[in-house]
Structures are given as C-alpha cells and as structure tokens.
Amino acid sequence: MDDKELQTLLERINSAEQARDSAYGELWQDCLRRYRSEVKARREGSNLFVPHTFMQCEVIKARVAESLFASRPYISALPREAADLDRAAKVQTLLDWQMNDRADFARLIGETVVGNMIIYGTAVTYTGWQVKTRLIRQAVIREQPLLDPEGQPLLDEGGQPLYYESRQVAKTRQVIHDDPVCAHIPLTDFYIDPEADTLENARYLGHKEYLSQPQLEELADQGKYRIDWDRLSPLDDETPGGPDLGRYLLHHYWQGQRHLVILNRRQCVLDEENPFWHGQIPYDKCCYVRLPGEFYGMGVPEILASLQDELNTSRNQRIDYNSLALRRMWKLRKGCGLTARDLLWRQNGVLQVENMDDVQEINIQGLPADAFANEAGVKQDMQDATGCHDILMGLSYANETATTTMTRDNNASLRFKAVVTAVVKDLLLPVAKKFMALDQQFLGESRAIRLLNSPAEALFQVDPEDLDGDYDISYCGTAIESLANKTLNKEKALQAYSLALADPAYQADDRARLKLYRKVLEALDIKEAEALLPRERQRENGGPRG
C-alpha cells in the first residue's frame, strides 16, 4: 500500500472518531458518572448523589443476565437434513463448551456486554479465532547413561551402554487457546461511518487496540502481520521498564470484504480479503433503546438524567434545611448587654438577663409532608420510565393478594422480555452462528472436551468431519418469566401430581404418570429431569414407581 492510500484511510478513521466523540463523548462520560453516583460540580451545602440510577441499572442487568443464562445449553443446533442429526448433537455440545468454558458467556455477555448496553445504550462485540501459546515447564523422563567413578559409560554383557531413566524439567510451548473468541469492544475504541445507522449499511468500520511488542512478534511469527521494525517505535519511547512494555496502536479497518491493519498510524501490516468463510464482518451490536435513524442507542442513565437531578436536588435541599434548623437564630433586645458571642452553646452555660424577653428564639417550621412525598413521586417516575418496579426487586405491598402481585409482575416483565429478545436476536444468536462457522473453518484436528458442571460423559470427542453440514442455530435458554408465575406454576404442578397419585387410572398407567412427573420436575427447575425418571427395567423388577 502506498502512502497516499494509507493517508486516505487514516483520514476516514479520524473523521469517524471525531464525529463519534463530538456527538457522544460527553454523553457517555456523563452516563458513567451517573452510574457511579458521582457529583458533577460541588455546591455550597449538601452534595449527595442518590444512587437510584445505579440501583436501576444493576437490577435490570441481573434480571436480563439471569433470564439469558439460567440454564444450559444456551443454543441448539438443528440439522437441515436427517443425515446430520447425530452431528448436530456434537455441534451443539461443542458450542456449549466453547461458550462456557472458553469464552465464559455468562460473565462476558451477562455482565460486561449487557452492563455496557444498559449504561451507554449500545454494546459492540468482536468475534474471531484466536491461537495463544505459552512457554511452560514440565517433567519429562529421559534416558541417561550409567557412568563409572571415572566418568566412563558402563556396558552390559553384550558391550552395549547401560541406561537409566531420569526425571528432568524441560521447557515446551503449549497451545492454551485454539478456539473462537468473543470480545467486548469499548465504544471509545470502535468507529463507524458517521452516515451509517446499522452495521450492514456502513461503508467502513473497525476498532483500535493496543498491543505490546512481544504480542506483535507472536502474531508476526504466525505469519499474520508483516512489520518493518526499523520504521516503528512504541507510542511512548520513555516507557518505564524498556521497549518490551511499550504500547503499539493497531487500527482494524473493514471495508466491504477487505480487512486492513494499520500499526501506529504509520504502516499497513496486513491487507487481505475477509479471512472468514462466513463472509460477514466480525462485529455485532445491541442497543438497550434503539433510536430511529441512529447507530447508537439510549441507556438507562440518559433516560433518567433529569429525574435523577431532581431527586438529588430534593434530597440535598432537605438536608440543607435540616442543617440550617440545627443552627438556630435568636432575637436580642437592644441594650440588653448581650452579644452574639454570648449565644454560642457552652456546656452548663448560663445567660444573665434582666428581662425574659431580652433573648428570643426564631422558630423554624419543620419540613412539610409534601417534601417527602415529592421524592417518592420522583422515584416512581424513574421506575415507570425504565419498567423496573418494586416487584422486580423482590418488594411487594402489604395487604396485596396473590392475583394482584402476579398481574403486576407480569406487566413489569414485559419490558424485560423485549430487552432479552433484543440481546438474543442481535447478539447471542449472531455470535453463536459465527462460532459454528469458525469451527468449520479452523478446527483442524479432533477435540476431546469435558463439559464442566454437567452430568454428561467425562470426555466428549468431536472430529472436524462432525461439523460438516448446514444447521440452524436457535436460542433454547430459559425464557423470562415473572417470579410470581414461577412460584404459582410450581404449586399447581405439585397439586396436580398429588391428585394424580390418588387417581386409580393414573396408578395403572405408568406412561401417563411419568409424563406428569417429568412436568413436575421441569416446573421445579430441576435439570436433567429425564435422568431422574425411573427406567423401564426398574419398573418391571418392582423398583420405584415415579
């Protein structure tokens, strides 16, 4: 790439970053400040920041994360041909292992990505394939010749040297990661065509990252980057500890099916076609509240900004009023001989006056009840704006019937169902589909995997040939459901099973009774319900009956 084309690309990147920072830079900083409950400017008197925005964000994040990842597997692979039915099970198991044990989706998506989406209104992820190695030391058994006191090898009867096994420590490079990777991209590191409102219609987009020299050397050794070290230096040449701790800036630039990597804004170290078979850009985006015609969405702190300011003002005014009420004012009659210093509080102090009217306190009225009602009204407005009501935080009103609680819980869950659906369709499923395509492209050898926290087999063998075929990826996690409904369904399932046990028809029909028993276990959120059911052989031998 010549310098003119490189300069053109850098101008596009700078234009996109400047447009992003000018439109959203201060807004995102303010959202983070409100989430952290930090006061913007000091004022005279009370400077409290009521952490109601923080509470709303955390409740919403916990509810969404619990709904997304309450049960495994999160996704299912459905074959498009009957011959691929067995392979689909292996594809699903491999994806489940990679999403949990390798990528830790419950923490990455449930906390980091969803948390940033709630705070800033938008979250962006990058999905690719990563190979990481690490130099380790391990014990090896090696044969060493037996030597006599003079240092000469000992021989056997046939004249051959005698050996013995010795345990030694050797260095070896071990592959610690050779799987798909999903990473959260901070919004300040991501740039996109200012005219785009979706990832699909962007003329160009990308992100930046910082790598150290050893990381760049490892990528160069893998044949990915062509680096001219003579023309390169860290961003900070005076980095303490030497150049190995220096940072290098990389810009990933995507335009159509073209991928480029620009190092330190000086040289292009990679210029290639889209390296992924799926032919898509490796980014996915999800918004908390999608705004028409805009790429970035709106988060909870932005929604609650004015109400949070009103809540802070109301609370600080009450504190200031109470503080002033503690510092009382007095009226002194002229010529009484007392001064303002005499009115300072002293332990066992005595004031001598000629007339009881010489000193009079100026009474201050207490706070009216409306001052407290106003704060309750502001909090109610904030809950109405986000849909995060008391019932979702485990709070209920006294003298409230179960039917009323269930109705309120159902209505409050509607907003969360929409958020969960958006995360699944815009983020979770696209990432899972990219994972499957990357496995089909880069998985070159058999893989023995172990599903942790699962009663499955100790090891599960997956071969590259098992990934061939076309599959539909669908979400099969736990759908969001109101807490009141869950409790009510559990009670109904137990009551139905108790009635069935007393019915002679159900006692005679094992198949119907076991189906009902399976439904009871599922209603109680007991995993692996099928494994807990009595087997046919046990029933024939007089074993337990349901």
Side-chain angles (χ1 to χ4, degrees):
M1 176 183 294
D2 55 20
D3 294 339
K4 183 177 180 180
E5 184 179 1
L6 177 61
Q7 189 63 29
T8 301
L9 296 181
L10 291 176
E11 290 177 357
R12 293 178 183 173
I13 294 175
N14 292 335
S15 175
E17 291 179 340
Q18 292 175 2
R20 175 202 65 201
D21 294 339
S22 61
Y24 300 97
E26 293 184 0
L27 173 62
W28 291 339
Q29 292 180 2
D30 187 65
C31 289
L32 179 60
R33 178 186 65 83
R34 294 177 179 277
Y35 171 74
R36 299 181 62 174
S37 303
E38 296 178 352
V39 179
K40 184 176 183 180
R42 304 293 297 181
R43 56 181 292 271
E44 183 180 358
S46 176
N47 286 276
L48 291 182
F49 192 106
V50 183
H52 203 75
T53 296
F54 171 82
M55 182 270 294
Q56 293 270 311
C57 292
E58 289 301 301
V59 170
I60 295 173
K61 182 178 70 173
R63 189 69 186 272
V64 173
E66 191 272 339
S67 301
L68 286 172
F69 306 110
S71 62
R72 292 176 54 182
Y74 311 140
I75 57 94
S76 62
L78 306 176
R80 296 183 180 179
E81 298 181 2
D84 296 331
L85 186 60
D86 294 337
R87 293 179 176 178
K90 293 188 176 182
V91 170
Q92 177 173 321
T93 303
L94 176 62
L95 292 178
D96 182 47
W97 175 74
Q98 290 173 336
M99 287 182 173
N100 288 276
D101 296 4
R102 308 301 279 175
D104 194 5
F105 263 41
R107 180 179 295 272
L108 173 67
I109 304 296
E111 294 186 11
T112 304
V113 176
V114 172
N116 279 265
M117 179 191 69
I118 294 172
I119 296 173
Y120 301 109
T122 308
V124 178
T125 60
Y126 172 88
T127 306
W129 190 274
Q130 186 180 50
V131 178
K132 293 178 63 177
T133 60
R134 182 170 56 199
L135 189 63
I136 64 172
R137 293 179 175 88
Q138 62 181 7
V140 295
I141 303 299
R142 294 179 179 176
E143 290 185 347
Q144 300 289 337
L146 285 172
L147 303 178
D148 59 15
E150 298 180 356
Q152 299 298 323
L154 297 177
L155 305 178
D156 59 9
E157 297 178 354
Q160 299 297 326
L162 295 175
Y163 293 91
Y164 71 96
E165 291 184 348
S166 174
R167 185 176 182 271
Q168 299 181 359
V169 177
K171 294 182 178 180
T172 181
R173 185 161 293 276
Q174 183 184 48
V175 177
I176 60 175
H177 190 100
D178 189 10
D179 292 282
V181 61
C182 180
H184 169 253
I185 304 298
L187 295 181
T188 53
D189 292 343
F190 180 80
Y191 63 90
I192 191 172
D193 176 15
E195 303 297 329
D197 58 352
T198 62
L199 293 171
E200 290 73 18
N201 61 14
R203 293 173 296 178
Y204 61 91
L205 73 166
H207 76 282
K208 68 178 181 181
E209 62 176 342
Y210 293 92
L211 297 180
S212 64
Q213 182 172 340
Q215 292 173 319
L216 288 176
E217 291 175 346
E218 183 177 358
L219 293 172
D221 294 340
Q222 296 176 4
K224 295 183 177 181
Y225 293 164
R226 300 183 300 275
I227 303 176
D228 184 2
W229 293 103
D230 296 335
R231 299 171 48 200
L232 199 63
S233 61
L235 296 179
D236 186 2
D237 295 333
E238 300 180 357
T239 301
D244 289 346
L245 298 180
R247 298 191 308 164
Y248 295 85
L249 174 62
L250 280 82
H251 277 92
H252 293 265
Y253 179 91
W254 291 81
Q255 182 177 351
Q257 291 297 312
R258 188 183 182 189
H259 174 223
L260 301 96
V261 178
I262 301 173
L263 184 56
N264 273 9
R265 299 181 183 269
R266 296 180 182 178
Q267 58 176 290
C268 180
V269 298
L270 179 64
D271 188 354
E272 62 178 358
E273 293 184 359
N274 191 336
F276 304 123
W277 287 0
H278 54 64
Q280 306 175 33
I281 57 174
Y283 302 103
D284 294 288
K285 180 204 72 166
C286 186
C287 295
Y288 183 75
V289 176
R290 190 183 300 273
L291 299 176
E294 296 188 21
F295 179 81
Y296 297 101
M298 184 165 54
V300 172
E302 183 180 358
I303 297 173
L304 302 179
S306 59
L307 292 172
Q308 180 67 61
D309 291 340
E310 182 182 359
L311 180 62
N312 294 340
T313 302
S314 176
R315 180 70 63 86
N316 288 320
Q317 286 177 343
R318 283 166 40 200
I319 295 177
D320 290 342
Y321 190 90
N322 291 330
S323 299
L324 293 175
L326 294 176
R327 297 192 290 268
R328 296 174 293 177
M329 294 184 63
W330 305 85
K331 293 188 299 183
L332 291 179
R333 186 176 58 80
K334 287 184 179 181
C336 67
L338 298 177
T339 63
R341 182 177 295 274
D342 296 328
L343 300 180
L344 294 178
W345 181 265
R346 302 186 306 274
Q347 189 73 19
N348 299 322
V350 177
L351 291 179
Q352 295 181 358
V353 296
E354 296 182 359
N355 193 330
M356 297 304 295
D357 295 335
D358 288 348
V359 180
Q360 292 184 358
E361 179 184 357
I362 299 178
N363 294 323
I364 300 178
Q365 296 181 355
L367 282 172
D370 295 344
F372 297 92
N374 178 61
E375 179 172 330
V378 174
K379 290 183 178 180
Q380 183 62 46
D381 291 341
M382 298 176 76
Q383 294 177 358
D384 293 340
T386 60
C388 183
H389 293 279
D390 293 338
I391 190 67
L392 298 177
M393 294 178 282
L395 304 177
S396 61
Y397 299 108
N399 302 325
E400 188 177 72
T401 64
T403 304
T404 303
T405 302
M406 185 178 63
T407 302
R408 294 178 62 247
D409 199 2
N410 287 335
N411 295 334
S413 300
L414 293 177
R415 297 281 294 274
F416 290 94
K417 290 180 181 178
V419 176
V420 171
T421 301
V423 175
V424 170
K425 291 186 177 180
D426 297 339
L427 209 63
L428 195 58
L429 287 181
V431 171
K433 293 177 181 178
K434 289 183 175 67
F435 267 39
M436 183 185 66
L438 292 171
D439 285 330
Q440 293 176 336
Q441 178 180 355
F442 293 106
L443 193 65
E445 59 183 8
S446 299
R447 184 71 59 88
I449 61 178
R450 175 178 283 109
L451 294 179
L452 301 179
N453 300 326
S454 175
E457 295 82 5
L459 289 175
F460 193 87
Q461 192 75 21
V462 178
D463 298 324
E465 296 78 9
D466 297 332
L467 305 178
D468 296 337
D470 294 331
Y471 306 92
D472 292 324
I473 302 298
S474 64
Y475 176 71
C476 60
T478 303
I480 185 169
E481 186 179 3
S482 63
L483 299 179
N485 267 0
K486 289 183 178 180
T487 303
L488 184 61
N489 290 339
K490 293 177 182 179
E491 295 177 356
K492 289 183 176 180
L494 293 174
Q495 292 176 1
Y497 190 69
S498 299
L499 294 175
L501 291 179
D503 190 348
Y506 265 95
Q507 295 179 2
D509 191 345
D510 286 346
R511 179 174 299 180
R513 183 167 48 82
L514 289 178
K515 286 183 177 180
L516 181 60
Y517 186 50
R518 183 185 295 108
K519 293 295 183 182
V520 173
L521 296 179
E522 293 174 355
L524 297 176
D525 294 331
I526 297 178
K527 298 181 179 180
E528 302 294 336
E530 192 69 30
L532 299 178
L533 295 176
R535 296 182 180 178
E536 194 71 25
R537 181 176 58 185
Q538 291 176 330
R539 297 199 303 272
E540 292 176 355
N541 294 336
R545 299 177 59 85

